[in-house]
Amino acid sequence: MASTDAAQPSPPLPLPGFLPTTPRGRAASSGPAFGFGSSHSPSPLSLSRFSASRGAPDSCGGWWRTSLPRLRSLLGSRGGDRRMRRKRVVGGGGVGVAAGSKGWHRRRTRGIVIWGGVVVFFFLMNWWMFSRLQDTPIRLLRRNPGSSNVSVVSLSRPSILEKWNIYGNGQRSTGVMFSRLLGLAAHALAEADSRPEPQDLWQEPIGPTTWKRCADERNWERCDGHNGYIIVSANGGINQQRVAICNAVAIARLLNSTLVLPRFLYSSVWRDKSQFGDIYQEEHFINYLKDDIPIQKALPSELQSLDLEAIGSIVTDAEIMKEAKPSFYLKQILPILLKNRVVHFVGYGNRLAFDPVPFELQRLRCRCNFHALRFVEKIQETGALLIQRMRHHVSHSGPLEHNLLGSFAEKLTMKGNKIVPSRYLAVHLRFEIDMAAYSMCHFGGGKDEEDELEAYRAVHFPALTLLKNTTKVPSAAFLRSEGKCPLTPEEAVLMLASLGFKRKTSIYVAGAQIYGGKLRMATINSLYPNLATKESLLSSSEIEPFRNFSSQLAALDFIVCAAADAFAMTDSGSQLSALVSGYRMYYGGGNLPTIRPNKRRLASIFLKNSTIEWKEFEDRVRKTIKQTKQIHERPIARSIYRHPRSPECMCMVE
């Protein structure tokens, strides 16, 4: 089953520039181009159509065509200089030739010996370090059937997990890697019941400047869209599709064109046939943006019979560089639009830069994301039900709830007798099998786990498998030390416990099926029993309309996470986490904190799991989270959807 996101985890490998930044963005689409002309299959010719403007031919291997002649010339000149020197020496007598030649050979031999020694030294060091890893025992947590006791199973096998095995630190004398810390966490949670929570736990750090939402303000005239029609078939999951929609809105305005209601490609990972109208309110989207761009539900009848591929109007995401500048669209796409009256972007996604972009065009992207996209009533009603049950039928409704839930937001305050609504924490636990496979990391399951993830990669991420088989890629240990691996449930629960969330805290876990299933979730369940998911909160009849529609299930997670009193992400590259945190920033008024762990810093802390005391662990984790919890103005070139706190999207309050 697919997860609620796509990730944009940062890609674990810095090597393949052609790979998308998230597992979801990598999923190959299939099927026809939805009736807009013929079905499309990109050809090698189409991949280089715009290459002249972005230097594609020479960007990956073509450098030798120009470098080789220069190299030959350089070598030739050096050879000529050497021959001239030898002639001059010969002219002076045979003794000079012999002496010069002997000295030159001596220096050359000494240099070869030194370099050879260095190579041998590094080879021996690598062999010695690797040999120490071969007999690493793997210790696993195993829950006995019918029992709440957790036992330790030790497996012996040659391991490439190095010291970063999730259950062992690579030393024979070490037991379960996190069993010690988890035991300390359980003890700390028991003691914390009698103490108040940290004061800033449910609060967003107060900054020097106050911001208010203002993306709904316009300062331009409506465009007539007379240059032609923009069709978009978005790839990926619901969160990638959301970004693609708002980027397409901006492109339609930039090219003074009419946008056809976006379509969604079928994903082999998501396996969801939902279209725009199944998730978002079509009429609200069209009417809210009518003062910005004209939007139609379909192409005019006279254009529907066009063979878009034959006339060159189909543009794939492979033909557009990631985060292309507006100038690319004006130079390369506009001429096609003016000539053919239609351009169809297939697999469109993150293909528009965030800087430099004109002020009003950037604001239009915010207006689309935070105002124009409203969930359909079926999703709103069920989302309101989930929030209501997480808060034990006592809640409040503010601007965020009204935007997410529409008229169903009023129902949040209709039940219950408590004065203070129950608070809850939402956690996006990004640890599904696609994320685990894409990360190229190891998670303590031994050879069986490695084979399972490798098989999954071969089916869903063939380019990554090819890369691994043909290129020397970073080790799993290195990836983890660099913060490229998703946090496991064990690491996530240790982070929450160290921050001070009490055992009785109500926690909503967003995501699909966690890789490892119930066994993997046993740790969180034991430390935080008030754990809930959409599947546990809804009855079978209530969730039935959403089964087999992973994008609609993801929309429910989006709503509950956005409305939570505190939200914790476990992967900063996740698109769902990024969009949720941006939504909370835009509508929260400084009252909706988001926990953004720095996985690289956390990795250095978890590395000391066998010796670190709980107090030190707690202090270091809190210090790390405090640094990332503070909200700043959007950095240049960063996502406006994730960082709306910028003049284009929000306004500073004096």
Side-chain angles (χ1 to χ4, degrees), residues 472-486:
K472 184 177 180 180
V473 299
S475 68
F478 176 79
L479 293 174
R480 186 169 293 279
S481 67
E482 291 296 304
K484 300 298 183 181
C485 300

Side-chain angles (χ1 to χ4, degrees), residues 157-276:
R157 69 164 180 85
S159 174
I160 59 172
L161 301 185
E162 305 178 45
K163 61 188 176 184
W164 269 110
N165 190 306
I166 198 68
Y167 290 109
N169 68 353
Q171 299 179 4
R172 294 176 181 273
S173 59
T174 304
V176 179
M177 176 179 177
F178 291 133
S179 63
R180 176 178 172 275
L181 273 179
L182 290 170
L184 295 176
H187 181 71
L189 287 173
E191 288 186 340
D193 283 339
S194 59
R195 298 196 304 264
E197 292 177 325
Q199 292 183 352
D200 60 346
L201 188 61
W202 299 88
Q203 297 176 358
E204 184 178 294
I206 301 176
T209 307
T210 304
W211 296 75
K212 68 173 185 177
R213 56 190 179 278
C214 60
D216 55 339
E217 299 177 6
R218 294 175 174 86
N219 191 28
W220 59 14
E221 298 295 328
R222 180 182 186 271
C223 77
D224 53 22
H226 70 272
N227 283 344
Y229 294 85
I230 297 293
I231 306 169
V232 171
S233 296
N235 202 0
I238 183 175
N239 303 295
Q240 285 73 25
Q241 292 164 353
R242 190 181 187 102
V243 171
I245 291 168
C246 294
N247 286 346
V249 167
I251 293 302
R253 173 73 194 204
L254 177 69
L255 303 181
N256 191 17
S257 55
T258 298
L259 179 67
V260 178
L261 205 64
R263 300 280 295 182
F264 299 153
L265 291 173
Y266 179 80
S267 168
S268 61
V269 175
W270 280 84
R271 299 178 182 178
D272 187 348
K273 296 182 179 179
S274 297
Q275 288 301 319
F276 188 96

Side-chain angles (χ1 to χ4, degrees), residues 90-146:
V90 170
V95 177
V97 173
S101 176
K102 184 177 181 180
W104 180 79
H105 281 293
R106 185 183 299 113
R107 289 192 298 272
R108 181 183 180 187
T109 302
R110 185 168 53 211
I112 292 175
V113 171
I114 293 175
W115 278 110
V118 171
V119 171
V120 171
F121 171 76
F122 278 106
F123 175 80
L124 292 175
M125 285 296 296
N126 286 336
W127 173 83
W128 177 77
M129 293 176 68
F130 184 76
S131 66
R132 297 195 62 182
L133 303 174
Q134 298 303 305
D135 300 322
T136 299
I138 297 178
R139 305 197 174 205
L140 302 175
L141 285 174
R142 182 172 70 186
R143 185 171 294 278
N144 298 324

Side-chain angles (χ1 to χ4, degrees), residues 478-526:
F478 176 79
L479 293 174
R480 186 169 293 279
S481 67
E482 291 296 304
K484 300 298 183 181
C485 300
L487 290 185
T488 64
E490 297 92 337
E491 291 170 316
V493 75
L494 285 170
M495 177 185 72
L496 297 179
S498 64
L499 291 177
F501 287 102
K502 290 192 173 184
R503 178 178 168 80
K504 63 182 180 181
T505 303
S506 296
I507 301 179
Y508 179 87
V509 177
Q513 292 183 352
I514 300 302
Y515 181 56
K518 294 181 179 179
L519 178 61
R520 200 94 210 195
M521 292 296 294
T523 303
I524 291 186
N525 282 311
S526 62

